[in-house]
Amino acid sequence: LKPSSGFLFVTVIKLVEAEGSMDSFTKSYCNYGVQRQANNALLFREWAPGAQALYLTGDFNGWNTKSHPYAKKEYGKWELYLPPKTDKSPAVEHETKLKVLVVVTAQGEELFRISPWAKYVNKRLDSNTYDWVHWDPLQPFLHEHAHPKRPRSLKIYEAHVGIASPEAKIATYENFTTDVLPRIKDLGYNCIQLMAVMEHAYYASFGYQVTNFFAASSRFGTPEDLKRLIDTAHSLGITVLLDVVHSHASSNTADGLNQFDGTDSCFFHAGSRGQHAQWGSCLFNYNSWEVLRFLLSNLRWWMEEYRFDGFRFDGVTSMLYHHHGIGVSFCGSYSEYFGMHVDEEAIVYLMISNHMLHTLYPNCITIAEDVSGMPGLCRLITEGGMGFDYRLAMAVPDKWIQILKEWKDEHWDMGNIVYTLTNRRQGEAVICYAESHDQALVGDKSLAFWLMDKEMYTNMSCLIPLTPVIDRGLQLHKMIRLITHALGGEGYLNFMGNEFGHPEWLDFPRKGNNESYAYARRQYNLVDTEHLRYRQLYNFDRDMNRTEDKYGWLSAAPAVVTTADERDKVIAFDRANVVFVFNFHPSNSYTSYRVATPTPGKYKIKLDSDALQYGGHGRLDLDTEFFAEPVAFKNKTQSIEVRGNLKYPFYTDLKSHHHSGLELSVKGLNWHFSPAF
Ligand SMILES: *[C@@H]1O[C@H](CO)[C@@H](O)[C@H](O)[C@H]1NC(C)=O
Ligand SMILES: *[C@@H]1O[C@H](CO)[C@@H](O)[C@H](O)[C@H]1NC(C)=O
Ligand SMILES: *[C@@H]1O[C@H](CO)[C@@H](O)[C@H](O)[C@H]1NC(C)=O
Ligand SMILES: *[C@@H]1O[C@H](CO)[C@@H](O)[C@H](O)[C@H]1NC(C)=O
Ligand SMILES: CC(=O)N[C@H]1CO[C@H](CO)[C@@H](O)[C@@H]1O
């Protein structure tokens, strides 16, 4: 057991004693902020321990600042009761503005604040800051569809609503529901990880500088629109995870959580411990009872009110260590993970969160964004772990970028690739990915752009001959994704658009780019254009997922790598009774290659990255059957002689039947067999 698990036990007992139950404590959004009673009276409650006085002001009282004081209660709590109007309707109407006026000193210094529990905030075009808008619709959206079954093999589509259209403007929850959900379904992803949902005043923060934890971002529509999005995803059998940011908060005061009661502590640590030196944001005090109330209730809010199916916890590395990972590189020594530099309060918070979520919602999925490789992060709390289901394999995308940036094709190191894809803690599940939103951001480049760069503007048409650059790019794009998918983890993640090789980078409107939306969009129009090769990459990604559905390698035991040959540049492995063979050699083609097989029997090609519909060269005869022979090879008793059985002596292109010599790269000879019993 880790020392902190004893602490967890005590904390929960204390909470239950004081609050009645874990359930009511973690549903404090039913007691704080604004609550409408059965008789339409409104009850306002806040926690502002440093305040001298609190007043409610807004459209409802003509912005009179002192007519509606809160009453001071124990432990820094404040309450205000507003009886219904004479016509029995609530004193504050739906969609009207409010502020809390916080008096912070005896001298009467006044601050206008948004309730930390605000369910909706928005901004007028001519305003710099967000307003708290009372959200209490007459006809709230009612979910119709049940949570989907928890997927065995998690295949995640990482998505941001605002950039989910080709138009150079902010797309809406509605656009996402009608235009993007059907694509995700078709592609075979069974899970969406929604970014930037928690309200963030600064769009270019990509949602990672949260200002209002209980508000769904109003940029993309209303709370009801988001509920409809999630309900529609559920109707398609798609699980929806929230990218939740509890590692830090925006330092905004006027529309954020910072200095809510006028002090620099309240929700955060006072002084330098409360500030993240690199992000310029505020760090929560996880040891505070009221902060636990706030954050745990926040998790339940998104589960109960919006019916998310789980969370991807952002910035876990920053939480785990007092040094926040700044200037620290992790090489795997245990001294890096245990010692006084580890923030036990944050660890206990993560343990309580996971304990609560998995107890109340047995199908809930939690994923940790941790780059440090903290041991036990994804083990059960009863074992002394921190209770996450998965961690992100953050080293893998970095490796692919390094390979494409620094290695010549003939120097690709098969052993190193296999090592990176299989280097994970035994018994702790991993979500693997070739690239995520991080690699798409301005300053970096997506894999497709690293591979094909400028030629993507001119040479992606199927109507012109494949150029060597596009050829290499298409083949490697598919092979990198498939080997990552099959070898790298227990789940797979793709960032929206990258499945079809989205060109260019992502850059949100900001001062430095003249507030431009030119790169804050995803060009789905490219994949919709029949004669462009994006379609071929899309087809491969879809069929990769569908093939996984059939064989389930992600939920099977880790792969057994049988070949990682530096001279031939061939990697072969088997997982879930499927044999994968990759030829990464820039020029060698093998018409015959022996690979070990897990079981005797007949093998057939089930997915071939070289197939014509995926922009390949169609060199393999998909009808060929291969029989495993009792020939011992690479520690297995059975093996097959894989024959290329080339149908065409030369390259042949999809549309033009252009012939080019064999001097071109033959990447993409990628066999993938499975038993055909
Ligand atoms: C996006 O949705 C808005 C309404 O939410 C609609 O006006 C607009 O036409 C949609 N755009 C696209 C590209 O479908
Ligand atoms: C590929 O693009 C380059 C410019 O980037 C152009 O010069 C060349 O003609 C294109 N190749 C084909 C086959 O169209
Ligand atoms: C931004 O716009 C201004 C005025 O239109 C122009 O002078 C400047 O060069 C632009 N900057 C960039 C980075 O495009
Ligand atoms: C074959 O098995 C032996 C003994 O179990 C082991 O030492 C060796 O690494 C294995 N070789 C391969 C290629 O897996
Ligand atoms: C296993 C599986 O579902 N394979 C499918 C892959 O995609 C192709 C094309 O859509 C289908 O024909 C296969 O059945």
Side-chain angles (χ1 to χ4, degrees):
L1 283 184
K2 287 181 68 74
S4 40
S5 36
F7 185 23
L8 165 75
F9 184 65
V10 173
T11 308
V12 173
I13 298 267
K14 277 203 321 215
L15 285 178
V16 171
E17 271 174 10
E19 299 284 337
S21 74
M22 193 73 182
D23 187 56
S24 63
F25 179 69
T26 58
K27 271 176 103 170
S28 290
Y29 54 81
C30 298
N31 300 307
Y32 284 72
V34 195
Q35 305 299 327
R36 181 158 51 81
Q37 319 277 354
N39 66 351
N40 276 345
L42 297 175
L43 190 60
F44 293 79
R45 181 182 284 135
E46 299 298 347
W47 175 64
Q52 298 288 326
L54 248 61
Y55 297 90
L56 187 72
T57 174
D59 292 334
F60 81 99
N61 66 3
W63 294 95
N64 186 326
T65 51
K66 295 291 164 60
S67 58
H68 291 82
Y70 286 68
K72 188 168 183 166
K73 301 282 173 186
E74 270 186 302
Y75 305 118
K77 312 281 168 68
W78 301 85
E79 281 180 18
L80 165 64
Y81 178 83
L82 283 188
K85 292 199 281 206
T86 43
D87 66 0
K88 297 200 171 61
S89 68
V92 178
E93 284 170 24
H94 173 54
E95 285 200 279
T96 61
K97 283 184 200 158
L98 292 167
K99 290 263 189 223
V100 186
L101 177 71
V102 181
V103 180
V104 292
T105 57
Q107 291 74 39
E109 191 193 341
E110 295 175 351
L111 303 171
F112 286 97
R113 291 289 187 254
I114 293 178
S115 167
W117 304 84
K119 294 170 186 156
Y120 185 69
V121 300
N122 72 14
K123 188 167 88 84
R124 285 198 323 262
L125 278 178
D126 58 350
S127 165
N128 280 327
T129 54
Y130 275 74
D131 288 309
W132 174 18
V133 177
H134 181 54
W135 194 259
D136 187 13
L138 264 179
Q139 288 172 317
F141 178 82
L142 298 175
H143 295 266
E144 284 176 16
H145 301 280
H147 292 276
K149 260 182 32 204
R150 180 180 165 142
R152 239 167 19 106
S153 296
L154 209 53
K155 296 189 279 278
I156 303 173
Y157 197 80
E158 187 186 37
H160 180 291
V161 170
I163 61 171
S165 93
E167 291 176 90
K169 60 183 193 194
I170 299 175
T172 62
Y173 295 122
E174 211 177 300
N175 297 145
F176 194 93
T177 306
T178 52
D179 302 338
V180 184
L181 284 184
R183 295 178 193 272
I184 298 172
K185 176 69 184 166
D186 180 56
L187 278 162
Y189 289 93
N190 52 24
C191 178
I192 302 171
Q193 182 177 301
L194 268 190
M195 311 174 65
V197 166
M198 301 165 81
E199 189 62 277
H200 46 295
Y202 186 43
Y203 191 43
S205 76
F206 219 151
Y208 291 124
Q209 302 256 341
V210 172
T211 36
N212 312 94
F213 284 73
F214 286 81
S217 180
S218 59
R219 275 189 195 85
F220 318 129
T222 67
E224 314 312 303
D225 294 340
L226 174 59
K227 289 177 192 169
R228 187 174 297 106
L229 185 163
I230 294 169
D231 198 44
T232 310
H234 285 172
S235 77
L236 299 170
I238 299 174
T239 290
V240 189
L241 307 182
L242 176 71
D243 193 348
V244 78
V245 189
H246 280 183
S247 47
H248 65 135
S250 161
S251 60
N252 285 13
T253 50
D255 51 10
L257 204 53
N258 193 16
Q259 298 178 20
F260 173 64
D261 68 348
T263 70
D264 79 334
S265 50
C266 203
F267 289 93
F268 307 108
H269 285 294
S272 64
R273 191 177 172 193
Q275 282 156 24
H276 195 290
Q278 224 165 43
W279 300 338
S281 48
C282 298
L283 298 173
F284 285 104
N285 176 3
Y286 302 105
N287 201 27
S288 152
W289 195 283
E290 294 305 321
V291 173
L292 286 182
R293 178 197 305 285
F294 183 74
L295 293 177
L296 294 173
S297 297
N298 190 235
L299 295 173
R300 290 205 65 188
W301 167 254
W302 294 109
M303 292 297 291
E304 298 275 342
E305 182 75 8
Y306 287 91
R307 299 220 197 160
F308 278 97
D309 302 285
F311 302 95
R312 175 249 197 213
F313 280 72
D314 178 65
V316 167
T317 307
S318 168
M319 298 173 73
L320 294 176
Y321 307 97
H322 291 297
H323 55 58
H324 307 301
I326 300 173
V328 177
S329 60
F330 292 89
C331 26
S333 156
Y334 281 110
S335 65
E336 293 167 347
Y337 307 116
F338 303 100
M340 296 308 287
H341 56 289
V342 175
D343 188 337
E344 291 202 343
E345 292 166 8
I347 290 183
V348 170
Y349 167 66
L350 292 173
M351 293 169 80
I352 298 176
S353 300
N354 275 310
H355 170 72
M356 173 190 83
L357 290 170
H358 288 121
T359 309
L360 293 172
Y361 316 101
N363 291 325
C364 177
I365 296 166
T366 60
I367 302 173
E369 192 215 16
D370 170 42
V371 75
S372 74
M374 169 61 88
L377 189 65
C378 308
R379 296 295 301 191
L380 295 175
I381 290 166
T382 50
E383 298 172 328
M386 292 174 214
F388 282 101
D389 295 306
Y390 300 91
R391 60 151 51 85
L392 294 174
M394 298 180 72
V396 170
D398 293 344
K399 175 56 70 179
W400 288 123
I401 298 281
Q402 187 210 351
I403 292 174
L404 296 183
K405 248 165 126 163
E406 298 171 11
W407 296 4
K408 288 206 163 95
D409 285 6
E410 51 275 30
H411 297 156
W412 281 34
D413 182 336
M414 300 295 112
N416 189 274
I417 291 172
V418 166
Y419 171 78
T420 307
L421 286 169
T422 54
N423 176 24
R424 50 189 192 264
R425 294 196 181 279
Q426 199 183 354
E428 297 196 44
V430 155
I431 303 287
C432 200
Y433 51 103
E435 50 185 336
S436 72
H437 70 271
D438 282 327
Q439 286 70 37
L441 274 176
V442 62
D444 213 328
K445 293 201 275 193
S446 65
L447 288 182
F449 223 48
W450 277 115
L451 288 162
M452 297 178 275
D453 217 49
K454 294 183 191 69
E455 285 207 16
M456 295 190 87
Y457 296 102
T458 47
N459 297 345
M460 283 298 272
S461 168
C462 299
L463 308 174
I464 60 167
L466 264 181
T467 67
V469 169
I470 298 293
D471 189 8
R472 171 180 178 271
L474 291 181
Q475 314 319 333
L476 281 179
H477 193 266
K478 291 174 286 184
M479 291 171 70
I480 288 172
R481 301 174 93 70
L482 180 60
I483 195 171
T484 304
H485 201 298
L487 191 55
E490 286 65 39
Y492 177 76
L493 177 142
N494 165 69
F495 178 62
M496 61 194 311
N498 288 345
E499 71 277 9
F500 63 81
H502 198 284
E504 303 183 329
W505 52 92
L506 203 55
D507 193 6
F508 285 90
R510 56 191 169 87
K511 280 209 186 73
N513 68 8
N514 271 358
E515 306 292 337
S516 163
Y517 284 87
Y519 296 104
R521 61 192 182 121
R522 294 273 101 180
Q523 301 175 50
Y524 285 106
N525 53 310
L526 294 174
V527 77
D528 294 340
T529 307
E530 203 66 48
H531 73 270
L532 292 182
R533 295 192 181 276
Y534 299 101
R535 182 97 228 155
Q536 301 172 330
L537 294 179
Y538 178 101
N539 289 345
F540 182 74
D541 204 79
R542 178 195 60 202
D543 292 350
M544 176 170 79
N545 287 325
R546 291 184 184 177
T547 311
E548 200 287 332
D549 277 345
K550 199 156 164 186
Y551 299 101
W553 59 74
L554 284 170
S555 49
V560 176
V561 178
T562 50
T563 300
D565 192 298
E566 300 304 340
R567 198 196 48 195
D568 299 343
K569 301 276 178 248
V570 170
I571 296 174
F573 56 89
D574 57 82
R575 191 172 182 190
N577 246 4
V578 182
V579 176
F580 296 83
V581 187
F582 294 83
N583 173 13
F584 283 103
H585 202 288
S587 54
N588 281 3
S589 186
Y590 308 106
T591 48
S592 162
Y593 206 89
R594 183 162 292 278
V595 292
T597 57
T599 43
K602 187 169 74 179
Y603 285 75
K604 282 195 73 169
I605 300 176
K606 289 296 176 178
L607 183 68
D608 170 20
S609 72
D610 194 44
L612 294 175
Q613 73 264 33
Y614 310 138
H617 299 283
R619 287 165 296 194
L620 295 178
D621 182 352
L622 299 188
D623 295 329
T624 314
E625 292 177 344
F626 300 90
F627 292 90
E629 304 159 306
V631 175
F633 190 66
K634 307 267 187 190
N635 279 6
K636 300 247 180 181
T637 55
Q638 301 280 327
S639 61
I640 44 176
E641 184 76 21
V642 177
R643 281 162 288 109
N645 204 8
L646 299 184
K647 276 198 289 195
Y648 305 100
F650 297 109
Y651 272 10
T652 175
D653 189 64
L654 182 60
K655 289 274 154 59
S656 64
H657 288 273
H658 163 82
H659 296 275
S660 60
L662 277 174
E663 77 278 4
L664 275 184
S665 150
V666 289
K667 280 224 173 87
L669 257 192
N670 162 26
W671 302 289
H672 160 208
F673 296 88
S674 72
F677 306 127

